[in-house]
Amino acid sequence: SLYDVERGKMEREVRLSTLDEALNPSWSPDGKQIAFAGLTGGLSDLFVYDLEADRLDRLTTDPFADLQPVWSPDGRTLAFATDRFTTDTTDLDIGQYRIGLADLSSGQVRPGPGIEGARHINPQWSPDGASLYFIAEPDGIANVYRADLAGGAVSQVTDLFTGVSGITETSPALSVAQQSGKLVYSVFRANGYELYTIESPQGLAGAPAAPPAGLPRAPLLPPVERRNALLADLLENPGLGLPRGTEFAVHPYHAGISLTYVGRPSLVAGSNQFGTFVGGGASLYFSDLLGNHNLVTALQVNGGLKDVTAVVGYQNLRNRLNWGGTVQQIPYVTGNYASGLDTFNGQTVFVEEQFLFRQTNRDVIGQVSYPFSEVQRIDLQAGYSNISFDRELRTQATSLLTGELLIDDKQDLPAPSSLNLGLGSMALVYDNSFFGATSPILGQRYRLEVAPTFGSLSYIGALVDYRKYFMPARPFTFATRLLHYGRYGNGGEDPRLQPLFLGYPGLVRGYSYGSFNGAECLPPPSDPNACPVFDQLLGSRIVVANAELRFPLFGVLGIGSGYYGAFPLELAVFGDGGLAWDTANDPSVFGLNGTRDPVFSAGVGLRINLLGFAVAEIDFVRPFDRPNKGWIWQFELQPGF
């Protein structure tokens, strides 16, 4: 991808379909070509892409590693790191990286100047093209060196105890400005990377390019007095201990899935006033060796056959176009309970009634996902859904005189007719967020989705979910989110569909189902069954806004080391707001005189990483639109990352 820094926008994207990966791009001096190391078939070679001709040229084709190419100021030569001069491929004798020079006109590759026996990486040209800077470690400590191309003389530029360091052993850690000649290098220090600059690197040259003979190399310490070369010989012998190739049969890879993970099984048995019950479940995950084919099965039983949850899903990740499908049955049960005294056959009895409303979704869904890049993709889904409804009333009456069960009745009540729906959706997804131990701390995420539904009901579901995380001062993260979801169309408010609810923990905190009681309802005289404080959270369309300042508590207090300190505990100060409405209840914001007002809450929360298995969150919330409620607390347990 070519990014215009001045305008702050993506200029062009070049697709290299024949390569697995492209690394370390380098612009030609005239800005018309880009050289890079390309990975294909597990081997790295040098490539040049011509921007004007839209042509990819391959410069090297061999089993040697060719990395970190950089263009000379005159545009005639590429300097790069390679093991072609030190590796013997016949007996797996892998040598050190050296600097190679590739003549672009002839295609010839010759070794550049360097230090015998040392590893060389990350070459950089001086502005006049007369010398090369690179990172080498003749004494086991990586430092910057400068080599004169005409005479081959090598001199040391830096002398660091810990060495010049990138993220990995061979990562670039050095850069030279092609006009001023200023040199910049990175050093790992105090649990992080720091950048240092040298205005005139040639002025610091003069230190010996290699340690005096006879001194032990730094990686082989301690002890200093050791003089034998046993450890050095072993380190230089990569073939020692490897089995002969004839000892093991070689077979082509064939994908075959096998059991890789078993979810925690559960089994519950008990009894109550309505009888005995048995419940439990388990989940099984299957995959092939490369993770390209994945199968998940799950079964959960909660009483009778009507309350069986079953899921079978398959995902194919072999190619860039990912696809899969899911077949599932999921019951959703809600209801209420009432009790009181009554008279039956002249006796005073204690009556208990349990009303159950069951919605069962049976779905067959296929999905396709195509990634445009590592952070952006498009998701497509299509399928069929059958939604059935069931209502039942269970009644028991017990004599207060004898304790005898006089009534034990189960009655099926009239239920809404079933729904048969065709489903479809298209979503654009972006996610470059960086997750910490408990939550994202940098980046952004969004999902833009349109989901038409047709059949027994017709409506269009629209989702906009945008989240942004930025760090104004380390280690404080400011997180924001804006979300809208709505069902638009004639069938979007059918009473057979569950209304959208603002009070879920991931939306507006402080308004969850279990936190309400009858004393809060205060129904108006016109509708004695209404509960305005709760009804304002329901609708066919919702808007939610969240803002949160989060930081690692122990890290801020300096208890322990690292970003999170002694323990991954995150403290968050948050504010939530939301609005739910439908066609019968217009919103009353932005100057509109509707019947639905937004709700707000604020509070503090604690998130704890439970050894990677889950993240537990405890929130202490003050809901502002519940006058009879003060501070309340909520608990949520999320699966581990």
Side-chain angles (χ1 to χ4, degrees):
S1 298
L2 305 181
Y3 188 81
D4 190 318
V5 178
E6 291 186 356
R7 294 191 297 168
K9 62 177 294 185
M10 189 69 67
E11 181 70 22
R12 180 177 174 184
E13 184 176 273
V14 179
R15 299 189 179 277
L16 306 172
S17 58
T18 59
L19 302 181
D20 299 322
E21 195 168 356
L23 307 169
N24 312 124
S26 173
W27 285 94
S28 63
D30 59 8
K32 297 179 180 180
Q33 301 179 87
I34 299 176
F36 59 90
L39 187 66
T40 173
L43 301 176
S44 61
D45 287 298
L46 299 184
F47 294 81
V48 171
Y49 180 77
D50 191 311
L51 292 168
E52 293 184 344
D54 191 19
R55 185 182 71 249
L56 181 66
D57 296 323
R58 186 168 187 166
L59 302 184
T60 60
T61 306
D62 48 57
F64 302 108
D66 297 329
L67 305 171
Q68 302 162 351
V70 59
W71 228 296
S72 64
D74 61 10
R76 299 177 180 178
T77 308
L78 285 178
F80 60 102
T82 180
D83 65 346
R84 63 179 57 245
F85 309 117
T86 57
T87 292
D88 186 351
T89 58
T90 59
D91 58 359
L92 199 63
D93 185 9
I94 308 299
Q96 297 281 15
Y97 285 108
R98 295 292 302 268
I99 302 301
L101 300 174
D103 186 284
L104 293 174
S105 60
S106 65
Q108 296 297 316
V109 177
R110 67 183 189 278
I115 305 169
E116 188 66 30
R119 185 184 66 174
H120 302 59
I121 61 171
N122 199 177
Q124 294 286 299
W125 292 88
S126 63
D128 58 6
S131 58
L132 274 174
Y133 296 94
F134 53 85
I135 299 174
E137 45 182 39
D139 58 353
I141 299 175
N143 273 291
V144 178
Y145 291 81
R146 180 173 179 264
D148 181 71
L149 292 178
V154 179
S155 55
Q156 187 170 345
V157 176
T158 64
D159 188 11
L160 305 171
F161 290 112
T162 58
V164 178
S165 174
I167 298 176
T168 68
E169 190 177 21
T170 58
S171 292
L174 168 68
S175 182
V176 175
Q178 287 304 293
Q179 293 185 3
S180 66
K182 179 185 292 188
L183 185 147
V184 180
Y185 61 91
S186 63
V187 175
F188 184 79
R189 180 175 177 270
N191 296 320
Y193 287 90
E194 297 180 353
L195 296 179
Y196 294 87
T197 64
I198 301 177
E199 295 290 342
S200 302
Q202 64 275 14
L204 298 180
L215 288 182
R217 295 182 57 194
L220 305 186
L221 298 176
V224 175
E225 61 271 12
R226 178 174 53 218
R227 289 292 183 267
N228 67 73
L230 176 60
L231 179 57
D233 291 341
L234 293 176
L235 291 174
E236 298 297 331
N237 187 356
L240 182 66
L242 293 180
R244 293 186 298 272
T246 57
E247 294 183 10
F248 295 93
V250 177
H251 300 283
Y253 175 74
H254 296 287
I257 63 173
S258 60
L259 183 64
T260 57
Y261 178 74
V262 178
R264 181 178 298 177
S266 63
L267 179 63
V268 178
S271 64
N272 56 24
Q273 65 269 36
F274 295 102
T276 60
F277 62 90
V278 176
S283 56
L284 303 176
Y285 297 82
F286 301 84
S287 179
D288 67 326
L289 185 62
L290 299 180
N292 291 332
H293 305 270
N294 301 284
L295 177 68
V296 57
T297 62
L299 180 67
Q300 183 76 30
V301 180
N302 297 302
L305 294 177
K306 293 182 178 180
D307 297 312
V308 172
T309 297
V311 177
V312 177
Y314 171 75
Q315 186 182 42
N316 188 306
L317 306 178
R318 181 180 179 183
N319 302 307
R320 185 170 187 174
L321 181 68
N322 303 328
W323 59 273
T326 303
V327 179
Q328 61 185 16
Q329 172 181 291
I330 303 177
Y332 301 92
V333 181
T334 59
N336 52 52
Y337 171 82
S339 62
L341 299 178
D342 201 349
T343 301
F344 178 74
N345 291 337
Q347 297 187 50
T348 301
V349 295
F350 179 69
V351 180
E352 296 173 284
E353 288 187 338
Q354 185 182 44
F355 171 76
L356 296 177
F357 180 81
R358 182 182 293 104
Q359 173 184 314
T360 304
N361 289 30
R362 301 175 183 88
D363 306 314
V364 179
I365 300 174
Q367 58 245 2
V368 174
S369 179
Y370 184 82
F372 299 117
S373 66
E374 293 181 350
V375 297
Q376 190 176 52
R377 70 179 189 272
I378 186 170
D379 292 341
L380 302 174
Q381 287 190 354
Y384 165 79
S385 179
N386 170 263
I387 304 176
S388 63
F389 305 94
D390 178 77
R391 300 168 72 238
E392 64 180 52
L393 179 65
R394 301 177 182 179
T395 305
Q396 286 189 336
T398 305
S399 172
L400 294 181
L401 296 177
T402 64
E404 180 184 0
L405 182 63
L406 301 178
I407 299 176
D408 186 2
D409 180 62
K410 177 180 176 182
Q411 182 181 2
D412 291 327
L413 303 178
S417 58
S418 298
L419 298 175
N420 295 287
L421 304 174
L423 308 176
S425 71
M426 179 174 64
L428 179 65
V429 184
Y430 183 93
D431 188 351
N432 72 345
S433 60
F434 179 78
F435 271 77
T438 53
S439 66
I441 59 176
L442 280 174
Q444 65 176 342
R445 295 190 286 171
Y446 63 74
R447 184 179 184 92
L448 309 177
E449 183 174 8
V450 176
T453 298
F454 52 91
S456 302
L457 299 176
S458 295
Y459 64 90
I460 295 178
L463 171 67
V464 178
D465 188 352
Y466 179 79
R467 312 180 190 200
K468 177 71 174 180
Y469 315 96
F470 56 94
M471 192 175 289
R474 182 182 173 92
F476 296 91
T477 291
F478 191 65
T480 60
R481 179 178 70 168
L482 181 64
L483 177 144
H484 167 64
Y485 179 72
R487 301 185 188 128
Y488 294 89
N490 296 331
E493 297 179 3
D494 190 280
R496 289 171 290 184
L497 295 176
Q498 290 284 348
L500 306 179
F501 178 57
L502 281 179
Y504 289 120
L507 298 178
V508 181
R509 285 161 282 196
Y511 295 87
S512 61
Y513 274 116
S515 65
F516 287 87
N517 56 56
E520 290 188 79
C521 282
L522 302 177
S526 59
D527 189 359
N529 295 319
C531 182
V533 70
F534 183 80
D535 294 341
Q536 66 180 341
L537 306 174
L538 303 175
S540 61
R541 300 158 194 177
I542 61 172
V543 170
V544 175
N546 310 95
E548 185 171 293
L549 180 66
R550 55 180 67 151
F551 56 90
L553 183 60
F554 289 126
V556 170
L557 297 177
I559 303 175
S561 60
Y563 181 84
Y564 283 95
F567 192 76
L569 176 67
E570 182 179 81
L571 181 66
V573 181
F574 60 83
D576 298 337
L579 175 66
W581 76 98
D582 51 35
T583 55
N585 298 278
D586 294 328
S588 60
V589 294
F590 305 120
L592 301 177
N593 296 319
T595 58
R596 286 290 176 85
D597 296 321
V599 296
F600 301 95
S601 65
V604 295
L606 285 173
R607 298 187 183 98
I608 306 171
N609 187 305
L610 303 178
L611 302 178
F613 294 102
V615 174
E617 179 174 349
I618 303 175
D619 296 317
F620 298 89
V621 194
R622 176 66 170 91
F624 297 126
D625 299 277
R626 299 174 64 181
N628 296 330
K629 276 285 186 180
W631 287 84
I632 63 176
W633 70 278
Q634 294 182 184
F635 176 79
E636 183 180 6
L637 191 64
Q638 301 175 355
F641 300 102

